[in-house]
Amino acid sequence: MAKLEKLRNIGVVAHIDAGKTTVTERFLHHSGKIHRVGEVHDGQSQMDWMPQEKERGITITAAATTLPWRGHEIHLIDTPGHVDFTIEVERSLRVLDGAVVVFCGVGGVEPQSETVWRQADKFNVPRIAFVNKMDRVGADFDDVVRQIRERLGAPAVPFQIPLGAEDDFHGVVDLVRLEAVLLSGDLDDEGQRTEIPDEVADAARLARERLIEAAADLDDAIAEKFLEEQEPDERELLTALRKGCLELKIVPVFCGTALRNKGVNLLLDAVVDLLPSPDDVPPVTGVDPRDPSSALTRSSEIKAPFAALVFKIAMLEGRRVIYLRIFSGRLKAGDDVWNPRTGKIEKVARLFSVHSHKRQRLDEAGPGSIIAAAGLKEATTGDTICDADEPILLERIDTYEPVISVAIEPKSQAVKEKLDQSLEKMVQEDPTFRVRVDDDTGQTLISGMGELHLEIVVDRLRREYGAEASVGKPYVVYRETIRDEAEAEAVFERELKEAELYGKVACRVAPLERGSGVQVETDGPGIGQLPRIVLEAAIAGLDEGAEAGPGGYPLVDIRATLLSAEFRDDAQPEVGVKVAAGEALRKAVAAANPQRLEPIMALEVTTPEDYLGGVIGDLKQRRSVIQDIGTRGDTSVIKARAALSRMFGYATDLRSLTQARAAFSMQFHAFDVLEP
């Protein structure tokens, strides 16, 4: 086990096609982890190991690896960039200490760039930015830095400026050391350090002043030197800048071209020099599962009670493997661990270090480790596993609601059982994938985050599990809400065998802002005097009643308030009150002007200006709302809101409209009503 100060847990995140996986491949080669570089476009990269990833040239599932650099041990997760697989980014950032955010030197801050940035903000993850593809026509380092500041609201501070541009990109100026680094592009080239060329000397001096000014805002000693026009030494400058990075007060920005092998080794240096070790991040927080009002913390100490978070489930070679981040204590193969969610103790059969889909046995692992484990049959994504004698419940990982469904059925009755078992395994792996049986038709429905998501699921069923299946056309998953307030009362009274059931409940419903979910409250003169079992039954009835509105879709963005609940001593209150509460909610919703909500997507289309009119016309025909039309280099950029139901097949239509010269990205925005 590496010493904590020598450990780095990082993720590589970005918009699709910004070059994340290529950056990771170069990390692996420079560190000596691999000796032959595989290219994404050839389907030969180490981290994109699934057949679907190799064929499409995209990352679908987050892949972990470990690599050495300058005496440090770096645990790295390469994440997907496509919005359909954004849960992989979410659950990775939950357990990482730092991140490298890759931006395309031409595309700059793209839609999924904003999404991953917000996800990193959510978990307070320190990050460094890498402006990739500086060799591409139209690459503009300064413009990307400006976009990071303006569109992401991030305190971006260049640590480098490029030497040359596009085909002539041949190195960087290191602003910390104030020297040029010439990069040949050879795989084993570490860069030649030399004096700064005269043609960029003024720009380098100005950028260096801004870097020192940023450090002066973070360190009083450097501030004094800055005011006295003295140069800080390299060590104190780097120490102050690292402190600013860890405190999220600055975002260091680097540049290069991973595909041409320029600048990646310097980026690895930055990972070690600037991103946190487990010792640098605050202790993880949780609650005592026996008393949820009692807050607990666990620090990254090997002698502390064991605590870890399950952040991913994978089926590798037919076996269930659990991915863990250990926050405190030590875990050995054969140890018993406790799961607060299930209340059960399970035995960890084996531990593994991981490199993509390959595993190597471990005897034990300590705090800060990202590892895989076998033997935990009931743990799911977001579960805490901990010491049974000193338990803690860590914050779970948020998931996302599916927005698209298709019907699926086995191609023959002989594979039905295999299909059902395979779908169950895939649900365990992916929290954004759902399976249910339609009560009316008896069809099996699968739901996911987009067309590509479900396409990958069906392809995996066929290849990995041998479960050939037919799928119907995709359709949209809707939600329901209300426009007005309303109150209703319901009585449930029934004799069942020898037991009598009775309950009478009144409730009020009111609309909430979009994204508020369902809030259940109590507000009535006699509520505080109700027996606990009756109160819990009424609240459970309101919760269950919100699972389906008048149209059969889940309710969202409503407040349900319990006004009163009555019961009889001679009748069982649990069932009667629960059923009455659900019925009261349904009556109130029906009287509150219910409204169906559909998935609204945030759409960005980049197109040559010649096709701008045709693209806008097509979007308007699809009932889209144009929000902004701008430019990025020599292309037009259209931002719009679009109903998902109108966007099926858009990729094919856009190619036809623009002779395949336009591109688009689309991600879920909200369940709402699209107002033209």
Side-chain angles (χ1 to χ4, degrees), residues 109 128 180 186 195 222-223 289 301 315 394 403 414 419 431 444 461 469 477 517 521 558 567 676:
V109 176
I128 56 181
D186 292 337
E195 292 185 1
I222 293 180
E301 297 178 8
M315 299 294 173
L394 304 176
V403 297
L419 177 64
T444 298
L461 285 170
V477 177
E521 299 179 352
I558 69 165
F567 64 98

PDB file of all heavy atoms in Angstrom, residues 109 128 180 186 195 222-223 289 301 315 394 403 414 419 431 444 461 469 477 517 521 558 567 676:
ATOM      1  N   VAL A 109     -15.818  24.817 -24.317  1.00  0.00           N
ATOM      2  CA  VAL A 109     -16.779  24.339 -23.318  1.00  0.00           C
ATOM      3  C   VAL A 109     -18.044  23.894 -24.048  1.00  0.00           C
ATOM      4  O   VAL A 109     -18.826  24.714 -24.510  1.00  0.00           O
ATOM      5  CB  VAL A 109     -17.102  25.431 -22.285  1.00  0.00           C
ATOM      6  CG1 VAL A 109     -18.172  24.943 -21.316  1.00  0.00           C
ATOM      7  CG2 VAL A 109     -15.836  25.824 -21.518  1.00  0.00           C
ATOM      8  N   ILE A 128      -8.037  20.152 -12.444  1.00  0.00           N
ATOM      9  CA  ILE A 128      -7.187  20.896 -13.362  1.00  0.00           C
ATOM     10  C   ILE A 128      -7.765  20.707 -14.761  1.00  0.00           C
ATOM     11  O   ILE A 128      -8.407  19.694 -15.052  1.00  0.00           O
ATOM     12  CB  ILE A 128      -5.707  20.447 -13.297  1.00  0.00           C
ATOM     13  CG1 ILE A 128      -5.566  18.954 -13.559  1.00  0.00           C
ATOM     14  CG2 ILE A 128      -5.096  20.806 -11.962  1.00  0.00           C
ATOM     15  CD1 ILE A 128      -4.127  18.455 -13.491  1.00  0.00           C
ATOM     16  N   ALA A 180      10.628  27.566 -21.620  1.00  0.00           N
ATOM     17  CA  ALA A 180       9.924  26.878 -22.697  1.00  0.00           C
ATOM     18  C   ALA A 180      10.196  25.384 -22.621  1.00  0.00           C
ATOM     19  O   ALA A 180      11.278  24.954 -22.192  1.00  0.00           O
ATOM     20  CB  ALA A 180      10.360  27.425 -24.046  1.00  0.00           C
ATOM     21  N   ASP A 186       7.450  12.576 -30.126  1.00  0.00           N
ATOM     22  CA  ASP A 186       7.868  11.185 -29.958  1.00  0.00           C
ATOM     23  C   ASP A 186       7.274  10.642 -28.654  1.00  0.00           C
ATOM     24  O   ASP A 186       7.205  11.354 -27.643  1.00  0.00           O
ATOM     25  CB  ASP A 186       9.398  11.081 -29.901  1.00  0.00           C
ATOM     26  CG  ASP A 186      10.036  11.428 -31.239  1.00  0.00           C
ATOM     27  OD1 ASP A 186       9.341  11.323 -32.263  1.00  0.00           O
ATOM     28  OD2 ASP A 186      11.217  11.827 -31.240  1.00  0.00           O
ATOM     29  N   GLU A 195      15.216  28.343 -23.121  1.00  0.00           N
ATOM     30  CA  GLU A 195      14.766  29.713 -22.894  1.00  0.00           C
ATOM     31  C   GLU A 195      13.520  30.006 -23.726  1.00  0.00           C
ATOM     32  O   GLU A 195      13.303  29.417 -24.788  1.00  0.00           O
ATOM     33  CB  GLU A 195      15.881  30.701 -23.254  1.00  0.00           C
ATOM     34  CG  GLU A 195      17.069  30.647 -22.313  1.00  0.00           C
ATOM     35  CD  GLU A 195      18.089  31.739 -22.632  1.00  0.00           C
ATOM     36  OE1 GLU A 195      17.821  32.529 -23.570  1.00  0.00           O
ATOM     37  OE2 GLU A 195      19.125  31.795 -21.961  1.00  0.00           O
ATOM     38  N   ILE A 222       3.696  35.703  -0.599  1.00  0.00           N
ATOM     39  CA  ILE A 222       3.814  35.992  -2.033  1.00  0.00           C
ATOM     40  C   ILE A 222       3.194  37.347  -2.340  1.00  0.00           C
ATOM     41  O   ILE A 222       3.687  38.100  -3.197  1.00  0.00           O
ATOM     42  CB  ILE A 222       3.157  34.877  -2.864  1.00  0.00           C
ATOM     43  CG1 ILE A 222       3.950  33.582  -2.698  1.00  0.00           C
ATOM     44  CG2 ILE A 222       3.069  35.258  -4.335  1.00  0.00           C
ATOM     45  CD1 ILE A 222       3.399  32.407  -3.466  1.00  0.00           C
ATOM     46  N   ALA A 223       2.125  37.714  -1.622  1.00  0.00           N
ATOM     47  CA  ALA A 223       1.506  39.026  -1.825  1.00  0.00           C
ATOM     48  C   ALA A 223       2.494  40.144  -1.521  1.00  0.00           C
ATOM     49  O   ALA A 223       2.576  41.146  -2.258  1.00  0.00           O
ATOM     50  CB  ALA A 223       0.263  39.157  -0.949  1.00  0.00           C
ATOM     51  N   PRO A 289     -26.136   4.736  11.598  1.00  0.00           N
ATOM     52  CA  PRO A 289     -27.365   4.094  11.107  1.00  0.00           C
ATOM     53  C   PRO A 289     -28.336   3.727  12.227  1.00  0.00           C
ATOM     54  O   PRO A 289     -29.525   3.556  11.983  1.00  0.00           O
ATOM     55  CB  PRO A 289     -26.850   2.847  10.382  1.00  0.00           C
ATOM     56  CG  PRO A 289     -25.466   2.629  10.878  1.00  0.00           C
ATOM     57  CD  PRO A 289     -24.930   3.969  11.256  1.00  0.00           C
ATOM     58  N   GLU A 301      -7.360   7.207   7.861  1.00  0.00           N
ATOM     59  CA  GLU A 301      -6.353   6.588   8.729  1.00  0.00           C
ATOM     60  C   GLU A 301      -6.541   5.084   8.721  1.00  0.00           C
ATOM     61  O   GLU A 301      -7.664   4.588   8.782  1.00  0.00           O
ATOM     62  CB  GLU A 301      -6.477   7.116  10.162  1.00  0.00           C
ATOM     63  CG  GLU A 301      -6.205   8.605  10.287  1.00  0.00           C
ATOM     64  CD  GLU A 301      -6.389   9.095  11.719  1.00  0.00           C
ATOM     65  OE1 GLU A 301      -6.569   8.236  12.614  1.00  0.00           O
ATOM     66  OE2 GLU A 301      -6.362  10.311  11.926  1.00  0.00           O
ATOM     67  N   MET A 315     -20.443  -7.028 -14.054  1.00  0.00           N
ATOM     68  CA  MET A 315     -20.416  -8.461 -14.304  1.00  0.00           C
ATOM     69  C   MET A 315     -19.217  -8.748 -15.210  1.00  0.00           C
ATOM     70  O   MET A 315     -19.240  -8.416 -16.398  1.00  0.00           O
ATOM     71  CB  MET A 315     -21.706  -8.915 -14.985  1.00  0.00           C
ATOM     72  CG  MET A 315     -22.955  -8.656 -14.160  1.00  0.00           C
ATOM     73  SD  MET A 315     -22.993  -9.658 -12.648  1.00  0.00           S
ATOM     74  CE  MET A 315     -24.452  -8.951 -11.848  1.00  0.00           C
ATOM     75  N   LEU A 394     -22.763   6.282   4.934  1.00  0.00           N
ATOM     76  CA  LEU A 394     -22.300   7.379   4.092  1.00  0.00           C
ATOM     77  C   LEU A 394     -23.404   7.815   3.134  1.00  0.00           C
ATOM     78  O   LEU A 394     -24.340   7.070   2.853  1.00  0.00           O
ATOM     79  CB  LEU A 394     -21.061   6.940   3.294  1.00  0.00           C
ATOM     80  CG  LEU A 394     -19.884   6.407   4.117  1.00  0.00           C
ATOM     81  CD1 LEU A 394     -18.778   5.921   3.197  1.00  0.00           C
ATOM     82  CD2 LEU A 394     -19.355   7.489   5.060  1.00  0.00           C
ATOM     83  N   VAL A 403     -35.682   8.329 -19.317  1.00  0.00           N
ATOM     84  CA  VAL A 403     -36.585   9.193 -20.080  1.00  0.00           C
ATOM     85  C   VAL A 403     -37.139   8.509 -21.329  1.00  0.00           C
ATOM     86  O   VAL A 403     -37.949   9.087 -22.045  1.00  0.00           O
ATOM     87  CB  VAL A 403     -35.875  10.503 -20.497  1.00  0.00           C
ATOM     88  CG1 VAL A 403     -35.475  11.301 -19.277  1.00  0.00           C
ATOM     89  CG2 VAL A 403     -34.652  10.215 -21.371  1.00  0.00           C
ATOM     90  N   ALA A 414     -37.583 -20.281 -25.686  1.00  0.00           N
ATOM     91  CA  ALA A 414     -36.452 -20.986 -25.067  1.00  0.00           C
ATOM     92  C   ALA A 414     -35.476 -20.029 -24.393  1.00  0.00           C
ATOM     93  O   ALA A 414     -34.775 -20.414 -23.450  1.00  0.00           O
ATOM     94  CB  ALA A 414     -35.727 -21.820 -26.123  1.00  0.00           C
ATOM     95  N   LEU A 419     -33.185 -14.300 -20.884  1.00  0.00           N
ATOM     96  CA  LEU A 419     -33.381 -12.859 -21.032  1.00  0.00           C
ATOM     97  C   LEU A 419     -33.718 -12.226 -19.687  1.00  0.00           C
ATOM     98  O   LEU A 419     -33.146 -11.189 -19.321  1.00  0.00           O
ATOM     99  CB  LEU A 419     -34.492 -12.578 -22.047  1.00  0.00           C
ATOM    100  CG  LEU A 419     -34.853 -11.104 -22.249  1.00  0.00           C
ATOM    101  CD1 LEU A 419     -33.681 -10.336 -22.835  1.00  0.00           C
ATOM    102  CD2 LEU A 419     -36.083 -10.966 -23.143  1.00  0.00           C
ATOM    103  N   PRO A 431     -27.696   1.862 -12.447  1.00  0.00           N
ATOM    104  CA  PRO A 431     -28.831   2.439 -11.708  1.00  0.00           C
ATOM    105  C   PRO A 431     -29.795   3.228 -12.590  1.00  0.00           C
ATOM    106  O   PRO A 431     -30.904   3.550 -12.148  1.00  0.00           O
ATOM    107  CB  PRO A 431     -28.152   3.381 -10.693  1.00  0.00           C
ATOM    108  CG  PRO A 431     -26.723   2.974 -10.653  1.00  0.00           C
ATOM    109  CD  PRO A 431     -26.407   2.411 -11.992  1.00  0.00           C
ATOM    110  N   THR A 444     -42.703  -6.784 -21.428  1.00  0.00           N
ATOM    111  CA  THR A 444     -41.553  -6.349 -20.642  1.00  0.00           C
ATOM    112  C   THR A 444     -41.030  -5.057 -21.244  1.00  0.00           C
ATOM    113  O   THR A 444     -40.753  -4.988 -22.452  1.00  0.00           O
ATOM    114  CB  THR A 444     -40.445  -7.411 -20.645  1.00  0.00           C
ATOM    115  OG1 THR A 444     -40.942  -8.599 -20.035  1.00  0.00           O
ATOM    116  CG2 THR A 444     -39.227  -6.931 -19.873  1.00  0.00           C
ATOM    117  N   LEU A 461     -27.006  -7.719 -24.439  1.00  0.00           N
ATOM    118  CA  LEU A 461     -27.821  -8.912 -24.201  1.00  0.00           C
ATOM    119  C   LEU A 461     -27.484 -10.003 -25.212  1.00  0.00           C
ATOM    120  O   LEU A 461     -27.358 -11.182 -24.871  1.00  0.00           O
ATOM    121  CB  LEU A 461     -29.303  -8.564 -24.292  1.00  0.00           C
ATOM    122  CG  LEU A 461     -29.912  -7.792 -23.118  1.00  0.00           C
ATOM    123  CD1 LEU A 461     -31.318  -7.311 -23.470  1.00  0.00           C
ATOM    124  CD2 LEU A 461     -29.953  -8.659 -21.857  1.00  0.00           C
ATOM    125  N   ALA A 469     -33.132 -10.834 -28.581  1.00  0.00           N
ATOM    126  CA  ALA A 469     -34.414 -10.222 -28.247  1.00  0.00           C
ATOM    127  C   ALA A 469     -34.854  -9.269 -29.352  1.00  0.00           C
ATOM    128  O   ALA A 469     -34.028  -8.684 -30.059  1.00  0.00           O
ATOM    129  CB  ALA A 469     -34.303  -9.468 -26.927  1.00  0.00           C
ATOM    130  N   VAL A 477     -40.966   8.424 -21.680  1.00  0.00           N
ATOM    131  CA  VAL A 477     -41.446   8.242 -20.321  1.00  0.00           C
ATOM    132  C   VAL A 477     -41.933   9.598 -19.810  1.00  0.00           C
ATOM    133  O   VAL A 477     -41.170  10.568 -19.776  1.00  0.00           O
ATOM    134  CB  VAL A 477     -40.331   7.713 -19.406  1.00  0.00           C
ATOM    135  CG1 VAL A 477     -40.821   7.597 -17.974  1.00  0.00           C
ATOM    136  CG2 VAL A 477     -39.825   6.368 -19.901  1.00  0.00           C
ATOM    137  N   GLY A 517     -39.652  17.403  -7.014  1.00  0.00           N
ATOM    138  CA  GLY A 517     -40.029  16.053  -6.621  1.00  0.00           C
ATOM    139  C   GLY A 517     -41.350  16.033  -5.875  1.00  0.00           C
ATOM    140  O   GLY A 517     -42.238  16.849  -6.109  1.00  0.00           O
ATOM    141  N   GLU A 521     -45.890  16.355   3.836  1.00  0.00           N
ATOM    142  CA  GLU A 521     -45.845  17.090   5.094  1.00  0.00           C
ATOM    143  C   GLU A 521     -47.091  16.782   5.931  1.00  0.00           C
ATOM    144  O   GLU A 521     -48.046  16.172   5.441  1.00  0.00           O
ATOM    145  CB  GLU A 521     -45.781  18.600   4.825  1.00  0.00           C
ATOM    146  CG  GLU A 521     -44.553  19.032   4.038  1.00  0.00           C
ATOM    147  CD  GLU A 521     -44.551  20.529   3.771  1.00  0.00           C
ATOM    148  OE1 GLU A 521     -45.584  21.181   4.079  1.00  0.00           O
ATOM    149  OE2 GLU A 521     -43.534  21.031   3.257  1.00  0.00           O
ATOM    150  N   ILE A 558     -45.006  18.153  -6.513  1.00  0.00           N
ATOM    151  CA  ILE A 558     -46.202  18.437  -5.716  1.00  0.00           C
ATOM    152  C   ILE A 558     -45.854  18.344  -4.234  1.00  0.00           C
ATOM    153  O   ILE A 558     -44.932  17.628  -3.836  1.00  0.00           O
ATOM    154  CB  ILE A 558     -47.375  17.475  -6.026  1.00  0.00           C
ATOM    155  CG1 ILE A 558     -47.065  16.052  -5.530  1.00  0.00           C
ATOM    156  CG2 ILE A 558     -47.729  17.476  -7.497  1.00  0.00           C
ATOM    157  CD1 ILE A 558     -48.300  15.167  -5.469  1.00  0.00           C
ATOM    158  N   PHE A 567     -59.143   6.735  12.837  1.00  0.00           N
ATOM    159  CA  PHE A 567     -59.111   5.272  12.894  1.00  0.00           C
ATOM    160  C   PHE A 567     -60.049   4.823  14.009  1.00  0.00           C
ATOM    161  O   PHE A 567     -60.529   5.633  14.809  1.00  0.00           O
ATOM    162  CB  PHE A 567     -57.689   4.773  13.148  1.00  0.00           C
ATOM    163  CG  PHE A 567     -57.122   5.188  14.478  1.00  0.00           C
ATOM    164  CD1 PHE A 567     -57.134   4.330  15.563  1.00  0.00           C
ATOM    165  CD2 PHE A 567     -56.586   6.472  14.652  1.00  0.00           C
ATOM    166  CE1 PHE A 567     -56.625   4.709  16.783  1.00  0.00           C
ATOM    167  CE2 PHE A 567     -56.076   6.863  15.880  1.00  0.00           C
ATOM    168  CZ  PHE A 567     -56.090   5.985  16.944  1.00  0.00           C
ATOM    169  N   PRO A 676     -43.965  27.213 -26.656  1.00  0.00           N
ATOM    170  CA  PRO A 676     -43.387  27.788 -27.866  1.00  0.00           C
ATOM    171  C   PRO A 676     -43.190  29.298 -27.728  1.00  0.00           C
ATOM    172  O   PRO A 676     -43.779  29.932 -26.892  1.00  0.00           O
ATOM    173  CB  PRO A 676     -44.418  27.449 -28.947  1.00  0.00           C
ATOM    174  CG  PRO A 676     -45.702  27.252 -28.205  1.00  0.00           C
ATOM    175  CD  PRO A 676     -45.330  26.724 -26.851  1.00  0.00           C
TER     176      PRO A 676
END
